[in-house]
mmCIF file with all atom_site columns, all heavy atoms in Angstrom:
data_model
loop_
_atom_site.group_PDB
_atom_site.id
_atom_site.type_symbol
_atom_site.label_atom_id
_atom_site.label_alt_id
_atom_site.label_comp_id
_atom_site.label_asym_id
_atom_site.label_entity_id
_atom_site.label_seq_id
_atom_site.pdbx_PDB_ins_code
_atom_site.Cartn_x
_atom_site.Cartn_y
_atom_site.Cartn_z
_atom_site.occupancy
_atom_site.B_iso_or_equiv
_atom_site.pdbx_formal_charge
_atom_site.auth_seq_id
_atom_site.auth_comp_id
_atom_site.auth_asym_id
_atom_site.auth_atom_id
_atom_site.pdbx_PDB_model_num
ATOM 1   N N   . VAL A 1 416 ? -6.647  -10.820 16.497 1.00 90.00 ? 416 VAL A N   1
ATOM 2   C CA  . VAL A 1 416 ? -7.166  -9.816  15.593 1.00 90.00 ? 416 VAL A CA  1
ATOM 3   C C   . VAL A 1 416 ? -8.208  -8.853  16.235 1.00 90.00 ? 416 VAL A C   1
ATOM 4   O O   . VAL A 1 416 ? -8.231  -7.667  15.933 1.00 90.00 ? 416 VAL A O   1
ATOM 5   C CB  . VAL A 1 416 ? -7.736  -10.508 14.291 1.00 90.00 ? 416 VAL A CB  1
ATOM 6   C CG1 . VAL A 1 416 ? -9.085  -11.085 14.626 1.00 90.00 ? 416 VAL A CG1 1
ATOM 7   C CG2 . VAL A 1 416 ? -7.890  -9.478  13.185 1.00 90.00 ? 416 VAL A CG2 1
ATOM 8   N N   . ARG A 1 417 ? -8.991  -9.395  17.286 1.00 91.00 ? 417 ARG A N   1
ATOM 9   C CA  . ARG A 1 417 ? -9.902  -8.501  17.961 1.00 91.00 ? 417 ARG A CA  1
ATOM 10  C C   . ARG A 1 417 ? -9.130  -7.416  18.716 1.00 91.00 ? 417 ARG A C   1
ATOM 11  O O   . ARG A 1 417 ? -9.543  -6.256  18.698 1.00 91.00 ? 417 ARG A O   1
ATOM 12  C CB  . ARG A 1 417 ? -10.737 -9.314  18.922 1.00 91.00 ? 417 ARG A CB  1
ATOM 13  C CG  . ARG A 1 417 ? -11.799 -10.172 18.282 1.00 91.00 ? 417 ARG A CG  1
ATOM 14  C CD  . ARG A 1 417 ? -12.578 -10.930 19.306 1.00 91.00 ? 417 ARG A CD  1
ATOM 15  N NE  . ARG A 1 417 ? -13.129 -10.105 20.319 1.00 91.00 ? 417 ARG A NE  1
ATOM 16  C CZ  . ARG A 1 417 ? -13.688 -10.517 21.517 1.00 91.00 ? 417 ARG A CZ  1
ATOM 17  N NH1 . ARG A 1 417 ? -13.727 -11.823 21.702 1.00 91.00 ? 417 ARG A NH1 1
ATOM 18  N NH2 . ARG A 1 417 ? -14.191 -9.669  22.347 1.00 91.00 ? 417 ARG A NH2 1
ATOM 19  N N   . THR A 1 418 ? -7.997  -7.810  19.289 1.00 90.00 ? 418 THR A N   1
ATOM 20  C CA  . THR A 1 418 ? -7.251  -6.826  20.088 1.00 90.00 ? 418 THR A CA  1
ATOM 21  C C   . THR A 1 418 ? -6.593  -5.787  19.187 1.00 90.00 ? 418 THR A C   1
ATOM 22  O O   . THR A 1 418 ? -6.665  -4.624  19.454 1.00 90.00 ? 418 THR A O   1
ATOM 23  C CB  . THR A 1 418 ? -6.106  -7.567  20.870 1.00 90.00 ? 418 THR A CB  1
ATOM 24  O OG1 . THR A 1 418 ? -6.715  -8.491  21.755 1.00 90.00 ? 418 THR A OG1 1
ATOM 25  C CG2 . THR A 1 418 ? -5.297  -6.593  21.650 1.00 90.00 ? 418 THR A CG2 1
ATOM 26  N N   . ARG A 1 419 ? -6.064  -6.208  17.986 1.00 90.00 ? 419 ARG A N   1
ATOM 27  C CA  . ARG A 1 419 ? -5.337  -5.324  17.120 1.00 90.00 ? 419 ARG A CA  1
ATOM 28  C C   . ARG A 1 419 ? -6.356  -4.344  16.495 1.00 90.00 ? 419 ARG A C   1
ATOM 29  O O   . ARG A 1 419 ? -6.003  -3.194  16.225 1.00 90.00 ? 419 ARG A O   1
ATOM 30  C CB  . ARG A 1 419 ? -4.654  -6.139  15.951 1.00 90.00 ? 419 ARG A CB  1
ATOM 31  C CG  . ARG A 1 419 ? -3.677  -7.112  16.374 1.00 90.00 ? 419 ARG A CG  1
ATOM 32  C CD  . ARG A 1 419 ? -2.641  -6.629  17.434 1.00 90.00 ? 419 ARG A CD  1
ATOM 33  N NE  . ARG A 1 419 ? -2.025  -5.398  17.027 1.00 90.00 ? 419 ARG A NE  1
ATOM 34  C CZ  . ARG A 1 419 ? -1.225  -4.688  17.925 1.00 90.00 ? 419 ARG A CZ  1
ATOM 35  N NH1 . ARG A 1 419 ? -1.111  -5.030  19.145 1.00 90.00 ? 419 ARG A NH1 1
ATOM 36  N NH2 . ARG A 1 419 ? -0.666  -3.612  17.477 1.00 90.00 ? 419 ARG A NH2 1
ATOM 37  N N   . LEU A 1 420 ? -7.643  -4.771  16.292 1.00 91.00 ? 420 LEU A N   1
ATOM 38  C CA  . LEU A 1 420 ? -8.616  -3.860  15.617 1.00 91.00 ? 420 LEU A CA  1
ATOM 39  C C   . LEU A 1 420 ? -9.499  -3.135  16.590 1.00 91.00 ? 420 LEU A C   1
ATOM 40  O O   . LEU A 1 420 ? -10.427 -2.407  16.207 1.00 91.00 ? 420 LEU A O   1
ATOM 41  C CB  . LEU A 1 420 ? -9.502  -4.717  14.662 1.00 91.00 ? 420 LEU A CB  1
ATOM 42  C CG  . LEU A 1 420 ? -8.741  -5.435  13.520 1.00 91.00 ? 420 LEU A CG  1
ATOM 43  C CD1 . LEU A 1 420 ? -9.764  -6.122  12.635 1.00 91.00 ? 420 LEU A CD1 1
ATOM 44  C CD2 . LEU A 1 420 ? -7.923  -4.429  12.699 1.00 91.00 ? 420 LEU A CD2 1
ATOM 45  N N   . GLY A 1 421 ? -9.284  -3.313  17.919 1.00 90.00 ? 421 GLY A N   1
ATOM 46  C CA  . GLY A 1 421 ? -10.029 -2.591  18.883 1.00 90.00 ? 421 GLY A CA  1
ATOM 47  C C   . GLY A 1 421 ? -11.405 -3.169  19.140 1.00 90.00 ? 421 GLY A C   1
ATOM 48  O O   . GLY A 1 421 ? -12.274 -2.469  19.721 1.00 90.00 ? 421 GLY A O   1
ATOM 49  N N   . LEU A 1 422 ? -11.590 -4.412  18.837 1.00 91.00 ? 422 LEU A N   1
ATOM 50  C CA  . LEU A 1 422 ? -12.925 -5.053  19.048 1.00 91.00 ? 422 LEU A CA  1
ATOM 51  C C   . LEU A 1 422 ? -13.021 -5.827  20.351 1.00 91.00 ? 422 LEU A C   1
ATOM 52  O O   . LEU A 1 422 ? -13.405 -6.992  20.328 1.00 91.00 ? 422 LEU A O   1
ATOM 53  C CB  . LEU A 1 422 ? -13.218 -5.964  17.880 1.00 91.00 ? 422 LEU A CB  1
ATOM 54  C CG  . LEU A 1 422 ? -13.187 -5.195  16.498 1.00 91.00 ? 422 LEU A CG  1
ATOM 55  C CD1 . LEU A 1 422 ? -13.437 -6.216  15.321 1.00 91.00 ? 422 LEU A CD1 1
ATOM 56  C CD2 . LEU A 1 422 ? -14.275 -4.143  16.386 1.00 91.00 ? 422 LEU A CD2 1
ATOM 57  N N   . THR A 1 423 ? -12.694 -5.203  21.425 1.00 88.00 ? 423 THR A N   1
ATOM 58  C CA  . THR A 1 423 ? -12.613 -5.863  22.660 1.00 88.00 ? 423 THR A CA  1
ATOM 59  C C   . THR A 1 423 ? -13.625 -5.373  23.694 1.00 88.00 ? 423 THR A C   1
ATOM 60  O O   . THR A 1 423 ? -13.791 -5.976  24.826 1.00 88.00 ? 423 THR A O   1
ATOM 61  C CB  . THR A 1 423 ? -11.216 -5.747  23.335 1.00 88.00 ? 423 THR A CB  1
ATOM 62  O OG1 . THR A 1 423 ? -10.821 -4.385  23.302 1.00 88.00 ? 423 THR A OG1 1
ATOM 63  C CG2 . THR A 1 423 ? -10.156 -6.545  22.478 1.00 88.00 ? 423 THR A CG2 1
ATOM 64  N N   . GLU A 1 424 ? -14.307 -4.229  23.414 1.00 86.00 ? 424 GLU A N   1
ATOM 65  C CA  . GLU A 1 424 ? -15.302 -3.708  24.322 1.00 86.00 ? 424 GLU A CA  1
ATOM 66  C C   . GLU A 1 424 ? -16.664 -4.305  24.033 1.00 86.00 ? 424 GLU A C   1
ATOM 67  O O   . GLU A 1 424 ? -16.924 -4.731  22.938 1.00 86.00 ? 424 GLU A O   1
ATOM 68  C CB  . GLU A 1 424 ? -15.352 -2.178  24.261 1.00 86.00 ? 424 GLU A CB  1
ATOM 69  C CG  . GLU A 1 424 ? -14.016 -1.504  24.692 1.00 86.00 ? 424 GLU A CG  1
ATOM 70  C CD  . GLU A 1 424 ? -14.145 -0.020  24.748 1.00 86.00 ? 424 GLU A CD  1
ATOM 71  O OE1 . GLU A 1 424 ? -15.246 0.525   24.528 1.00 86.00 ? 424 GLU A OE1 1
ATOM 72  O OE2 . GLU A 1 424 ? -13.084 0.622   25.128 1.00 86.00 ? 424 GLU A OE2 1
ATOM 73  N N   . SER A 1 425 ? -17.501 -4.322  25.028 1.00 83.00 ? 425 SER A N   1
ATOM 74  C CA  . SER A 1 425 ? -18.818 -5.016  24.937 1.00 83.00 ? 425 SER A CA  1
ATOM 75  C C   . SER A 1 425 ? -19.683 -4.333  23.808 1.00 83.00 ? 425 SER A C   1
ATOM 76  O O   . SER A 1 425 ? -20.522 -5.063  23.184 1.00 83.00 ? 425 SER A O   1
ATOM 77  C CB  . SER A 1 425 ? -19.586 -4.882  26.255 1.00 83.00 ? 425 SER A CB  1
ATOM 78  O OG  . SER A 1 425 ? -19.770 -3.491  26.666 1.00 83.00 ? 425 SER A OG  1
ATOM 79  N N   . ASP A 1 426 ? -19.564 -3.059  23.591 1.00 83.00 ? 426 ASP A N   1
ATOM 80  C CA  . ASP A 1 426 ? -20.431 -2.393  22.571 1.00 83.00 ? 426 ASP A CA  1
ATOM 81  C C   . ASP A 1 426 ? -19.946 -2.694  21.141 1.00 83.00 ? 426 ASP A C   1
ATOM 82  O O   . ASP A 1 426 ? -20.611 -2.271  20.212 1.00 83.00 ? 426 ASP A O   1
ATOM 83  C CB  . ASP A 1 426 ? -20.578 -0.861  22.803 1.00 83.00 ? 426 ASP A CB  1
ATOM 84  C CG  . ASP A 1 426 ? -19.269 -0.201  22.921 1.00 83.00 ? 426 ASP A CG  1
ATOM 85  O OD1 . ASP A 1 426 ? -18.208 -0.883  22.952 1.00 83.00 ? 426 ASP A OD1 1
ATOM 86  O OD2 . ASP A 1 426 ? -19.304 1.042   22.905 1.00 83.00 ? 426 ASP A OD2 1
ATOM 87  N N   . VAL A 1 427 ? -18.762 -3.222  21.009 1.00 85.00 ? 427 VAL A N   1
ATOM 88  C CA  . VAL A 1 427 ? -18.333 -3.619  19.666 1.00 85.00 ? 427 VAL A CA  1
ATOM 89  C C   . VAL A 1 427 ? -17.865 -5.106  19.598 1.00 85.00 ? 427 VAL A C   1
ATOM 90  O O   . VAL A 1 427 ? -17.126 -5.508  18.717 1.00 85.00 ? 427 VAL A O   1
ATOM 91  C CB  . VAL A 1 427 ? -17.111 -2.742  19.157 1.00 85.00 ? 427 VAL A CB  1
ATOM 92  C CG1 . VAL A 1 427 ? -17.641 -1.326  18.786 1.00 85.00 ? 427 VAL A CG1 1
ATOM 93  C CG2 . VAL A 1 427 ? -15.970 -2.668  20.162 1.00 85.00 ? 427 VAL A CG2 1
ATOM 94  N N   . GLU A 1 428 ? -18.292 -5.863  20.572 1.00 85.00 ? 428 GLU A N   1
ATOM 95  C CA  . GLU A 1 428 ? -17.879 -7.284  20.604 1.00 85.00 ? 428 GLU A CA  1
ATOM 96  C C   . GLU A 1 428 ? -18.467 -8.000  19.394 1.00 85.00 ? 428 GLU A C   1
ATOM 97  O O   . GLU A 1 428 ? -19.664 -8.077  19.255 1.00 85.00 ? 428 GLU A O   1
ATOM 98  C CB  . GLU A 1 428 ? -18.335 -7.906  21.957 1.00 85.00 ? 428 GLU A CB  1
ATOM 99  C CG  . GLU A 1 428 ? -17.792 -9.296  22.120 1.00 85.00 ? 428 GLU A CG  1
ATOM 100 C CD  . GLU A 1 428 ? -18.076 -9.880  23.530 1.00 85.00 ? 428 GLU A CD  1
ATOM 101 O OE1 . GLU A 1 428 ? -18.637 -9.111  24.317 1.00 85.00 ? 428 GLU A OE1 1
ATOM 102 O OE2 . GLU A 1 428 ? -17.736 -11.094 23.750 1.00 85.00 ? 428 GLU A OE2 1
ATOM 103 N N   . PRO A 1 429 ? -17.678 -8.653  18.617 1.00 89.00 ? 429 PRO A N   1
ATOM 104 C CA  . PRO A 1 429 ? -18.113 -9.331  17.387 1.00 89.00 ? 429 PRO A CA  1
ATOM 105 C C   . PRO A 1 429 ? -18.607 -10.719 17.661 1.00 89.00 ? 429 PRO A C   1
ATOM 106 O O   . PRO A 1 429 ? -18.312 -11.373 18.620 1.00 89.00 ? 429 PRO A O   1
ATOM 107 C CB  . PRO A 1 429 ? -16.857 -9.345  16.523 1.00 89.00 ? 429 PRO A CB  1
ATOM 108 C CG  . PRO A 1 429 ? -15.717 -9.455  17.457 1.00 89.00 ? 429 PRO A CG  1
ATOM 109 C CD  . PRO A 1 429 ? -16.159 -8.693  18.732 1.00 89.00 ? 429 PRO A CD  1
ATOM 110 N N   . GLU A 1 430 ? -19.495 -11.169 16.696 1.00 90.00 ? 430 GLU A N   1
ATOM 111 C CA  . GLU A 1 430 ? -19.778 -12.586 16.691 1.00 90.00 ? 430 GLU A CA  1
ATOM 112 C C   . GLU A 1 430 ? -18.758 -13.225 15.726 1.00 90.00 ? 430 GLU A C   1
ATOM 113 O O   . GLU A 1 430 ? -18.452 -12.645 14.720 1.00 90.00 ? 430 GLU A O   1
ATOM 114 C CB  . GLU A 1 430 ? -21.188 -12.810 16.166 1.00 90.00 ? 430 GLU A CB  1
ATOM 115 C CG  . GLU A 1 430 ? -22.303 -12.255 16.994 1.00 90.00 ? 430 GLU A CG  1
ATOM 116 C CD  . GLU A 1 430 ? -23.725 -12.527 16.496 1.00 90.00 ? 430 GLU A CD  1
ATOM 117 O OE1 . GLU A 1 430 ? -23.823 -13.438 15.592 1.00 90.00 ? 430 GLU A OE1 1
ATOM 118 O OE2 . GLU A 1 430 ? -24.620 -11.873 16.881 1.00 90.00 ? 430 GLU A OE2 1
ATOM 119 N N   . THR A 1 431 ? -18.247 -14.328 16.141 1.00 89.00 ? 431 THR A N   1
ATOM 120 C CA  . THR A 1 431 ? -17.157 -14.959 15.378 1.00 89.00 ? 431 THR A CA  1
ATOM 121 C C   . THR A 1 431 ? -17.505 -16.351 14.981 1.00 89.00 ? 431 THR A C   1
ATOM 122 O O   . THR A 1 431 ? -18.300 -17.038 15.621 1.00 89.00 ? 431 THR A O   1
ATOM 123 C CB  . THR A 1 431 ? -15.822 -15.028 16.176 1.00 89.00 ? 431 THR A CB  1
ATOM 124 O OG1 . THR A 1 431 ? -16.003 -15.787 17.350 1.00 89.00 ? 431 THR A OG1 1
ATOM 125 C CG2 . THR A 1 431 ? -15.372 -13.549 16.566 1.00 89.00 ? 431 THR A CG2 1
ATOM 126 N N   . ALA A 1 432 ? -16.922 -16.820 13.868 1.00 88.00 ? 432 ALA A N   1
ATOM 127 C CA  . ALA A 1 432 ? -17.160 -18.163 13.403 1.00 88.00 ? 432 ALA A CA  1
ATOM 128 C C   . ALA A 1 432 ? -16.079 -18.559 12.388 1.00 88.00 ? 432 ALA A C   1
ATOM 129 O O   . ALA A 1 432 ? -15.585 -17.669 11.605 1.00 88.00 ? 432 ALA A O   1
ATOM 130 C CB  . ALA A 1 432 ? -18.579 -18.282 12.713 1.00 88.00 ? 432 ALA A CB  1
ATOM 131 N N   . SER A 1 433 ? -15.635 -19.775 12.419 1.00 87.00 ? 433 SER A N   1
ATOM 132 C CA  . SER A 1 433 ? -14.741 -20.368 11.399 1.00 87.00 ? 433 SER A CA  1
ATOM 133 C C   . SER A 1 433 ? -15.452 -21.397 10.615 1.00 87.00 ? 433 SER A C   1
ATOM 134 O O   . SER A 1 433 ? -16.275 -22.191 11.192 1.00 87.00 ? 433 SER A O   1
ATOM 135 C CB  . SER A 1 433 ? -13.556 -20.996 12.156 1.00 87.00 ? 433 SER A CB  1
ATOM 136 O OG  . SER A 1 433 ? -12.787 -20.059 12.853 1.00 87.00 ? 433 SER A OG  1
ATOM 137 N N   . PHE A 1 434 ? -15.099 -21.427 9.357  1.00 85.00 ? 434 PHE A N   1
ATOM 138 C CA  . PHE A 1 434 ? -15.831 -22.385 8.458  1.00 85.00 ? 434 PHE A CA  1
ATOM 139 C C   . PHE A 1 434 ? -14.710 -23.307 7.808  1.00 85.00 ? 434 PHE A C   1
ATOM 140 O O   . PHE A 1 434 ? -13.718 -22.832 7.385  1.00 85.00 ? 434 PHE A O   1
ATOM 141 C CB  . PHE A 1 434 ? -16.631 -21.644 7.397  1.00 85.00 ? 434 PHE A CB  1
ATOM 142 C CG  . PHE A 1 434 ? -17.665 -20.776 7.998  1.00 85.00 ? 434 PHE A CG  1
ATOM 143 C CD1 . PHE A 1 434 ? -17.419 -19.409 8.239  1.00 85.00 ? 434 PHE A CD1 1
ATOM 144 C CD2 . PHE A 1 434 ? -18.905 -21.293 8.416  1.00 85.00 ? 434 PHE A CD2 1
ATOM 145 C CE1 . PHE A 1 434 ? -18.395 -18.536 8.791  1.00 85.00 ? 434 PHE A CE1 1
ATOM 146 C CE2 . PHE A 1 434 ? -19.863 -20.468 9.017  1.00 85.00 ? 434 PHE A CE2 1
ATOM 147 C CZ  . PHE A 1 434 ? -19.595 -19.031 9.203  1.00 85.00 ? 434 PHE A CZ  1
ATOM 148 N N   . PRO A 1 435 ? -15.066 -24.618 7.723  1.00 82.00 ? 435 PRO A N   1
ATOM 149 C CA  . PRO A 1 435 ? -14.048 -25.516 7.138  1.00 82.00 ? 435 PRO A CA  1
ATOM 150 C C   . PRO A 1 435 ? -13.899 -25.310 5.681  1.00 82.00 ? 435 PRO A C   1
ATOM 151 O O   . PRO A 1 435 ? -14.811 -24.823 4.967  1.00 82.00 ? 435 PRO A O   1
ATOM 152 C CB  . PRO A 1 435 ? -14.703 -26.876 7.453  1.00 82.00 ? 435 PRO A CB  1
ATOM 153 C CG  . PRO A 1 435 ? -16.151 -26.629 7.567  1.00 82.00 ? 435 PRO A CG  1
ATOM 154 C CD  . PRO A 1 435 ? -16.290 -25.286 8.174  1.00 82.00 ? 435 PRO A CD  1
ATOM 155 N N   . SER A 1 436 ? -12.649 -25.681 5.219  1.00 84.00 ? 436 SER A N   1
ATOM 156 C CA  . SER A 1 436 ? -12.399 -25.536 3.757  1.00 84.00 ? 436 SER A CA  1
ATOM 157 C C   . SER A 1 436 ? -13.131 -26.699 3.080  1.00 84.00 ? 436 SER A C   1
ATOM 158 O O   . SER A 1 436 ? -13.212 -27.757 3.531  1.00 84.00 ? 436 SER A O   1
ATOM 159 C CB  . SER A 1 436 ? -10.860 -25.712 3.579  1.00 84.00 ? 436 SER A CB  1
ATOM 160 O OG  . SER A 1 436 ? -10.595 -25.867 2.210  1.00 84.00 ? 436 SER A OG  1
ATOM 161 N N   . PRO A 1 437 ? -13.513 -26.409 1.788  1.00 85.00 ? 437 PRO A N   1
ATOM 162 C CA  . PRO A 1 437 ? -14.085 -27.505 0.988  1.00 85.00 ? 437 PRO A CA  1
ATOM 163 C C   . PRO A 1 437 ? -13.085 -28.452 0.335  1.00 85.00 ? 437 PRO A C   1
ATOM 164 O O   . PRO A 1 437 ? -13.483 -29.501 -0.156 1.00 85.00 ? 437 PRO A O   1
ATOM 165 C CB  . PRO A 1 437 ? -14.720 -26.672 -0.161 1.00 85.00 ? 437 PRO A CB  1
ATOM 166 C CG  . PRO A 1 437 ? -13.890 -25.438 -0.350 1.00 85.00 ? 437 PRO A CG  1
ATOM 167 C CD  . PRO A 1 437 ? -13.428 -25.114 1.047  1.00 85.00 ? 437 PRO A CD  1
#
Side-chain angles (χ1 to χ4, degrees):
V416 73
R417 284 180 58 190
T418 300
R419 301 313 308 170
L420 299 184
L422 302 176
T423 51
E424 295 187 2
S425 58
D426 55 351
V427 288
E428 186 172 356
E430 296 183 19
T431 60
S433 295
F434 301 96
S436 169

